Amino acid sequence: MSKKIILIAFLILNLEAKDINLGVVLPLSGSTAAYGQSALDGIEIANKMQGTLQNGDKIKLVVLDTKGDKIESSSAATRLVTQDKVLGIIGEMITANTLQVMRVAEENKIPLIAPAATGDKLLENKQYSSRVCFMDSFQGSSLAKYVSEKFGFKKAVVVVDQSTDYSLGLAKAFEKEFKAKGGKILKVLRINSGDKDFRAIITQIKILNPDFIYLPLYYSEAALFARQSKIIGLNTPMGSADGVADATFIKLAKEASNNYIFTDSFDSYNPVTKLGKDFILAYEKEKKDKDVPAFSAMGADAYFVMLHAMNACKDQLTSECINDKIHQTKNYEGVSGIISIDKNGNAIRSIIVKEIKDQKPIYKDIINP
C-alpha cells in the first residue's frame, strides 16, 4: 500500500471519528475523597495512554463528584445518562453508593464497571454491571488464612463498622475462615462511621489480650483506632482490608501505622503485566512519584477493561455489545494483574498482602483465587 493510500485512509478514518462520552462518578469531596481522587488519577492517566478506539473514535471522560453521598451518586449517574449520553460508566468507590449508580445504569441499560466496590451481593440480579476488584468474601478470608498460617495466631478480636455493608461483609468472611483454621474470635465489637473516640473499646481489647485485631474499616476510623491504641499501650498486631490502602491512612496514623497488615490489589514495585509496567512509567512521569496507589491502578483497570470491550465492538458500538464484551473478559492483562470477569460481572483475580514498615507499605505475599 502506497503512502498516499495510507494517508487517504487515515484522513477518512479521522473524518468519520467521533467523541464517545464515558461517565466517571467518584467521591471527589467528602470523607472518602481520597479513594475517589486516586481512582480519577488512574483513569485520567489511562485515558492519556489510550484515548482513542481502533476505529478512530475519541474517548471523552465526563467526570462528576458524588461527594461520597448516596443521593448525589444517583443524581450524577442520571445526569450522565440523560444529559451526557454516555456509553459506559465507571464508579463509584463505596459499595452503598455504587448500588445507587448501578440502579440508574441497569434501568437505562448502560454498562458500568466498579473499580473498588467489593460487597459480595453487589452484583446480584444485575445485567449491566461488573467490577475489576475482588469480593469481600475473598478479601476477608484471605487475611484470616494469612495470619493463621504465617503467624500462627489463634485468638482474634474483630472491630466492625455496623453502619457499612463493606465492614459487615469483611468481618463475616474473616470470622468464618479464622475459625475454620482453628482460631477463636474472642469478641466482635461494633462502631459506626464517624466515631472518633475508641478508648473504651481499646481498653476492653487490652483485657481480652488477643493475638490479632481485625479492623475492616475505612481509613479515617482505622487511623484513629491505631493512634489511640498506641497511646493507651495496646501493641497487639492489627490488620484491615483495602479500606486502608491509601496513603491517607499512613498520613493520619503516622508512627502507629507501622507493622499494620492489610490486603490490597496492586503493588507498584511488583507489576506482573506489561500494561502495569507502562502505567507505572506514565504515572511517574505525570505525578513525579512511582508509588502508584492501588486505587489508581483499579481506576485504570476499570478504564482499560471498558476500552477493551469498546474496541471489540468498534463496528457496532452499542451499550449492549460493550456490556456483553465486558462480561466475556478472559485473562485480561490489566494494570493490577490478570483479570477475568464471569457472567455475573464479578472479577476473578489475585490479592496482595502488605505490611507497613517505616510508614511505607511493603509487599509480603500474593494469594491467588
Side-chain angles (χ1 to χ4, degrees), residues 171-189:
K172 184 178 178 183
F174 179 90
E175 288 178 50
K176 182 180 179 181
E177 184 66 22
F178 194 75
K179 290 176 182 174
K181 289 292 178 185
K184 183 178 181 181
I185 303 297
L186 299 179
K187 193 145 189 164
V188 177
L189 296 161

Side-chain angles (χ1 to χ4, degrees), residues 24 26 28 35-45 61 63 295 299:
V24 179
L26 296 170
L28 302 176
Y35 301 142
Q37 190 56 59
S38 287
L40 180 59
D41 288 343
I43 293 166
E44 290 181 335
I45 290 171
L61 301 177
V63 181
F295 289 123

Side-chain angles (χ1 to χ4, degrees), residues 118 120 134-150 158 166-181 185 212 214 216 240-242 262-263 349 351-353 367-369:
T118 51
D120 276 19
F134 35 66
M135 292 193 291
D136 287 337
S137 53
F138 181 50
Q139 190 174 197
S141 62
S142 292
L143 193 61
K145 182 180 179 183
Y146 184 81
V147 299
S148 297
E149 293 180 352
K150 296 289 184 182
V158 178
Y166 168 78
S167 187
L168 292 166
L170 284 164
K172 184 178 178 183
F174 179 90
E175 288 178 50
K176 182 180 179 181
E177 184 66 22
F178 194 75
K179 290 176 182 174
K181 289 292 178 185
I185 303 297
F212 184 69
Y214 186 53
S240 289
D242 60 347
F262 65 100
T263 44
R349 53 161 304 136
I351 198 167
I352 291 170
V353 179
I367 300 173
N368 292 311

Side-chain angles (χ1 to χ4, degrees), residues 39-244:
L40 180 59
D41 288 343
I43 293 166
E44 290 181 335
I45 290 171
N47 181 247
K48 288 180 181 177
M49 291 172 67
Q50 295 182 32
T52 305
L53 296 181
Q54 292 170 358
N55 64 3
D57 288 350
K58 184 179 179 182
I59 303 298
K60 180 184 175 186
L61 301 177
V62 183
V63 181
L64 295 180
D65 179 11
T66 68
K67 302 175 184 175
D69 178 77
K70 290 181 183 178
I71 296 174
E72 293 282 352
S73 297
S74 178
S75 300
T78 300
R79 186 198 129 170
L80 288 173
V81 172
T82 58
Q83 294 185 33
D84 300 300
K85 308 296 183 186
V86 297
L87 261 185
I89 297 175
I90 295 173
E92 219 249 17
M93 299 299 284
I94 305 303
T95 294
N97 298 342
T98 303
L99 282 168
Q100 300 302 313
V101 181
M102 279 183 177
R103 180 181 55 76
V104 177
E106 292 287 327
E107 289 174 358
N108 292 277
K109 298 183 177 180
I110 300 296
L112 175 146
I113 299 179
T118 51
D120 276 19
K121 296 182 179 179
L122 184 78
L123 297 176
E124 282 188 357
N125 302 316
K126 305 292 191 304
Q127 294 183 357
Y128 285 81
S129 304
S130 56
R131 56 180 153 195
V132 292
C133 57
F134 35 66
M135 292 193 291
D136 287 337
S137 53
F138 181 50
Q139 190 174 197
S141 62
S142 292
L143 193 61
K145 182 180 179 183
Y146 184 81
V147 299
S148 297
E149 293 180 352
K150 296 289 184 182
F151 302 127
F153 293 157
K154 294 295 182 186
K155 300 179 296 178
V157 166
V158 178
V159 180
V160 62
D161 182 345
Q162 60 186 350
S163 63
T164 70
D165 291 337
Y166 168 78
S167 187
L168 292 166
L170 284 164
K172 184 178 178 183
F174 179 90
E175 288 178 50
K176 182 180 179 181
E177 184 66 22
F178 194 75
K179 290 176 182 174
K181 289 292 178 185
K184 183 178 181 181
I185 303 297
L186 299 179
K187 193 145 189 164
V188 177
L189 296 161
R190 300 181 185 280
I191 68 161
N192 288 293
S193 297
D195 286 353
K196 298 189 182 307
D197 186 352
F198 301 112
R199 288 175 296 180
I201 287 178
I202 293 167
T203 301
Q204 283 189 62
I205 295 174
K206 199 171 180 182
I207 294 169
L208 290 167
N209 192 30
D211 299 326
F212 184 69
I213 306 169
Y214 186 53
L215 300 144
L217 310 175
Y218 294 132
Y219 59 80
S220 299
E221 289 78 17
L224 274 174
F225 191 97
R227 290 190 65 175
Q228 291 174 18
S229 293
K230 294 299 177 189
I231 292 170
I232 292 175
L234 177 65
N235 295 308
T236 304
M238 300 178 191
S240 289
D242 60 347
V244 303

